[in-house]
Amino acid sequence: MSTQMATIDTRIPSRLDRLPWSRFHWRVVVGLGTVWILDGIEVTIVGAVGARLTEKGSGLGLSVSGVGTAAAIYVFGACVGALFFGQLCDRFGRKRLFLITLGVYIASTVVTAFSFAPWFFYLARFFTGSGIGGEYAAINSAIDELIPARVRGRVDLIINGSYWAGSAAGSAAALVFLDTAIFAENVGWRLAFGIGAVLGLAMMLVRRKVPESPRWLFIHGREEEAEAIVGGIEHELEQETGQTLPEVHDSIRVRQRTVIPFREIARVAFKTYPKRSILCLALFVGQAFLYNGLVFNLGTLLTTFYGVSAATVPVFIIVFAIGNLLGPLTLGRLFDTVGRKPMISATYLGSAAVAVVLGIVFVSHALTAASFMAIIVVVFFLASAGASAAYLTASEIFPMETRALAIAFFFAIGTAVGGITGPLLFGKLIATGEKGQVAIGFFIGAAVMAIGGIAELFFGVKAAGKQLEDIAEPLTAVETEPNGREELGAEDVGRDEDSARRAAQERVRARIERRHQRERSGLRRYRPGPGGFPTARVPADAVPVAEVLDNEILAIQRALDEHGPTERQKLADLVGARYWGPGVFRETLREATADGDIRRTSRNTYAPADDDNNAKQ
């Protein structure tokens, strides 16, 4: 049953997306994003201590197959938890659920440490997994609704990629806790599980200060709370920066509802957006198959075919985890600048191509343990960025009312299909002891990743730099214009504000036209893009850089007009660039210089653009 309430106009989405980077955003990242570190620790700890749990002196006495059963139960719990908590998250709010799911995880991982029998251990792992699965739905939806659109892609990828920081930490911790010279056989593995609980408690303290999503609040009839939260964030930020935030006029009109029926959510996913659903399934199944197939069997591959000792395997896993972490860290920026479609397809297809090469050379017997790991690291350097982008895709291309459940659904299906078949297939192929059989697993993994990349090419959504409500209009939106958006109180906006908007639009058009002229004349060559990677043009699926950075470029121009030629660091201080977000100041300087809005007089000094320079541009 859907209970409709008032119809309101709100500027909250535009107000949130125009915020400069601040301490508030760091609280969101730290309080919500570090859940992936917990997952990395949990999965790696079980893999690392698995052999110890089969020993008689461990106090648990699992069988060898029981270790694999525990991993499968954890994954199953994550799928169930994602679906269960995901639909609750869309119904009862982000904050309530991300506090509950973290509490479930903390309690369950503590209980795991006190396991006294296999059945108890399995039960504890199920509930630990359910807490983590619920976290995926609550956290990714909340992060996307609180992080500004211009940096949403890179922040999401870095957060999702932090799983591998947890994996590396879990492997390093296992080396210590499994050392019988330090801890007894029946004590060390129990303390290892305590690491996640301690980190979870620290996260809980920070997370309590993260507010409910204002976007969720205004749709569910609590617009006064939403306004108070956004107003508080703006007030804190203005005090922090000493600058007044620019006014926004774009609004959206929504018909509030306290409850949105599940059948309507399902209809949207499979009737309104069927291509987007196919895309998400392809992305999640591909990454889940390749990742789970290799991760759960990496130690077995090393010991079976390269003679690596079990005690040394955690060292290789640390190297593997670092390579995975570097993927989102170094490539994340490009998902906002080059665009979602080219980057997601490139990472999926690129990892597939390298996986094919791995399968070929693996059979040739030309690899050592080190060279085998080197190619594996390259495969997953690309795959980790793509896999993180799968969560980003599911969280931003469906309407807000379905966001958490969409993440949960595609995570659960992808993990159930790819995450279970992958480990089983690779395990059986490795058991044959024949490299040719294992190579088949690499080729299949490459194929499913390639399917994800091809699906992105055909069905990918232009989402870089766009407001969530523009990517997928809320189910509760009331159309007032063809695109469902309108100007709030446009009749009350003064002539000065109208002139300012027209001037801003004219500046953007002029910059884009100058850029196109340079491209047509062949003067614009490949130049270093954000993060040091080459970009030749503004991506087709990204909001033009000239538009995204207009306020920042204008602030730099005003500072130079007032102070004259200024050194880079002083200029950054004058405009408050430290609040713009990671890398934004550097990107703004590059764009403003390239477009002739300012000029560079020396290596570290900038000055106002002169008339001659503008004329040449």
Side-chain angles (χ1 to χ4, degrees):
M1 181 178 180
S2 176
T3 304
Q4 295 188 8
M5 304 174 68
T7 298
I8 65 166
D9 295 305
T10 180
R11 304 180 188 181
I12 283 176
S14 297
R15 289 165 65 188
L16 288 171
D17 283 338
R18 67 84 152 87
L19 294 176
W21 193 265
S22 66
R23 285 195 293 264
F24 165 75
H25 297 107
W26 282 119
R27 284 201 301 273
V28 172
V29 169
V30 174
L32 302 184
T34 44
V35 62
W36 286 86
I37 297 178
L38 296 180
D39 190 21
I41 289 175
E42 287 295 322
V43 172
T44 307
I45 284 289
V46 171
V49 306
R52 176 61 48 81
L53 298 178
T54 63
E55 298 173 0
K56 292 181 178 179
S58 68
L60 193 59
L62 281 181
S63 64
V64 174
S65 62
V67 176
T69 301
I73 288 175
Y74 175 84
V75 172
F76 177 67
C79 295
V80 173
L83 292 173
F84 177 73
F85 290 115
Q87 54 93 17
L88 294 179
C89 184
D90 280 332
R91 175 165 294 194
F92 297 111
R94 313 317 191 203
K95 181 166 185 174
R96 184 177 300 178
L97 267 296
F98 66 57
L99 291 176
I100 291 174
T101 53
L102 182 58
V104 170
Y105 163 78
I106 293 172
S108 300
T109 197
V110 169
V111 169
T112 302
F114 291 93
S115 296
F116 55 86
W119 70 266
F120 190 89
F121 184 76
Y122 296 151
L123 187 64
R125 296 311 294 161
F126 173 82
F127 283 104
T128 304
S130 67
I132 289 293
E135 286 277 282
Y136 290 164
I139 297 309
N140 279 281
S141 54
I143 287 173
D144 279 359
E145 290 165 11
L146 292 171
I147 296 296
R150 66 182 181 278
V151 294
R152 187 173 62 242
R154 70 192 74 176
V155 170
D156 227 45
L157 258 71
I158 291 172
I159 287 174
N160 290 325
S162 67
Y163 169 97
W164 296 104
S167 180
S171 297
L175 290 173
V176 176
F177 289 114
L178 295 183
D179 189 342
T180 54
I182 302 175
F183 300 103
E185 287 182 336
N186 64 341
V187 174
W189 67 267
R190 300 180 189 275
L191 295 177
F193 283 110
I195 294 175
V198 172
L199 182 57
L201 288 172
M203 288 173 53
M204 183 70 81
L205 296 176
V206 179
R207 189 171 288 188
R208 291 175 60 189
K209 297 182 180 180
V210 177
E212 176 60 88
S213 165
R215 283 176 155 104
W216 184 89
L217 286 171
F218 72 67
I219 281 182
H220 288 79
R222 296 162 62 180
E223 69 274 14
E224 292 184 1
E225 290 180 54
E227 289 287 344
I229 289 173
V230 176
I233 296 170
E234 291 171 333
H235 178 70
E236 175 189 337
L237 199 146
E238 288 180 343
Q239 286 189 321
E240 181 181 337
T241 63
Q243 298 179 1
T244 302
L245 293 169
E247 288 292 326
V248 296
H249 305 292
D250 284 346
S251 72
I252 185 169
R253 173 169 290 180
V254 297
R255 183 179 294 112
Q256 298 174 315
R257 304 185 193 181
T258 55
V259 177
I260 299 171
F262 182 82
R263 63 179 180 275
E264 184 171 355
I265 295 174
R267 177 186 59 79
V268 169
F270 295 103
K271 295 189 69 174
T272 306
Y273 296 112
K275 293 181 179 179
R276 297 186 181 190
S277 297
I278 294 172
L279 170 64
C280 287
L281 285 173
L283 294 179
F284 272 89
V285 170
Q287 63 89 20
F289 181 93
L290 186 65
Y291 260 103
N292 288 279
L294 264 295
V295 170
F296 282 114
N297 293 283
L298 183 57
T300 310
L301 276 168
L302 291 169
T303 56
T304 302
F305 296 103
Y306 297 104
V308 176
S309 67
T312 311
V313 167
V315 177
F316 284 87
I317 293 178
I318 292 174
V319 174
F320 175 72
I322 292 174
N324 277 271
L325 178 61
L326 290 176
L329 286 178
T330 56
L331 300 180
R333 184 185 300 271
L334 299 180
F335 285 76
D336 282 325
T337 55
V338 175
R340 308 285 199 262
K341 182 182 290 189
M343 287 306 301
I344 295 175
S345 57
T347 51
Y348 268 75
L349 293 173
S351 63
V354 182
V356 170
V357 173
L358 174 62
I360 294 172
V361 296
F362 183 76
V363 176
S364 69
H365 303 282
L367 296 177
T368 63
S371 56
F372 171 75
M373 279 304 302
I375 300 178
I376 286 286
V377 166
V378 175
V379 171
F380 286 94
F381 172 85
L382 296 170
S384 62
S388 297
Y391 291 89
L392 168 66
T393 300
S395 66
E396 67 180 2
I397 66 174
F398 291 99
M400 202 216 73
E401 298 89 340
T402 71
R403 183 164 294 124
L405 189 57
I407 299 168
F409 176 80
F410 294 113
F411 164 77
I413 297 299
T415 302
V417 175
I420 294 175
T421 58
L424 289 175
L425 175 64
F426 271 93
K428 290 183 177 180
L429 294 176
I430 293 170
T432 66
E434 298 180 11
K435 287 189 173 182
Q437 294 293 315
V438 177
I440 294 175
F442 292 137
F443 295 145
I444 295 175
V448 293
M449 286 296 286
I451 291 173
I454 293 171
E456 179 66 31
L457 287 175
F458 282 95
F459 302 136
V461 179
K462 298 177 181 179
K466 291 187 176 181
Q467 197 170 97
L468 292 172
E469 289 74 16
D470 289 330
I471 301 170
E473 190 173 69
L475 304 182
T476 50
V478 178
E479 293 193 3
T480 56
E481 293 181 355
N483 64 356
R485 305 296 294 274
E486 68 173 4
E487 293 290 316
L488 179 64
E491 297 179 356
D492 299 325
V493 176
R495 292 183 179 179
D496 291 342
E497 292 179 339
D498 286 334
S499 299
R501 285 200 301 276
R502 286 195 296 270
Q505 293 168 357
E506 183 58 36
R507 287 194 304 271
V508 170
R509 282 195 294 269
R511 289 191 189 107
I512 294 175
E513 179 58 32
R514 290 198 298 270
R515 185 175 293 111
H516 289 169
Q517 287 177 357
R518 286 197 299 276
E519 291 173 352
R520 288 193 295 268
S521 64
L523 296 178
R524 185 169 183 148
R525 302 299 182 188
Y526 281 85
R527 57 177 176 76
F533 291 87
T535 59
R537 59 184 174 82
V538 176
D541 67 334
V543 176
V545 175
E547 179 178 348
V548 172
L549 298 178
D550 182 60
N551 289 333
E552 288 82 357
I553 292 174
L554 194 59
I556 289 176
Q557 285 181 300
R558 289 171 176 168
L560 292 176
D561 288 339
E562 182 177 350
H563 297 277
T566 306
E567 291 186 354
R568 177 190 171 104
Q569 186 56 53
K570 182 179 179 181
L571 181 60
D573 294 337
L574 289 172
V575 298
R578 66 183 181 277
Y579 303 108
W580 289 359
V584 175
F585 180 65
R586 178 178 56 187
E587 187 176 344
T588 304
L589 283 178
R590 181 166 50 245
E591 288 298 323
T593 304
D595 292 336
D597 297 308
I598 63 174
R599 57 192 175 94
R600 190 172 184 172
T601 58
S602 69
R603 184 172 179 274
N604 289 311
T605 305
Y606 295 84
D610 53 37
D611 293 337
D612 291 338
N613 188 52
N614 284 331
K616 292 176 183 178
Q617 298 295 329

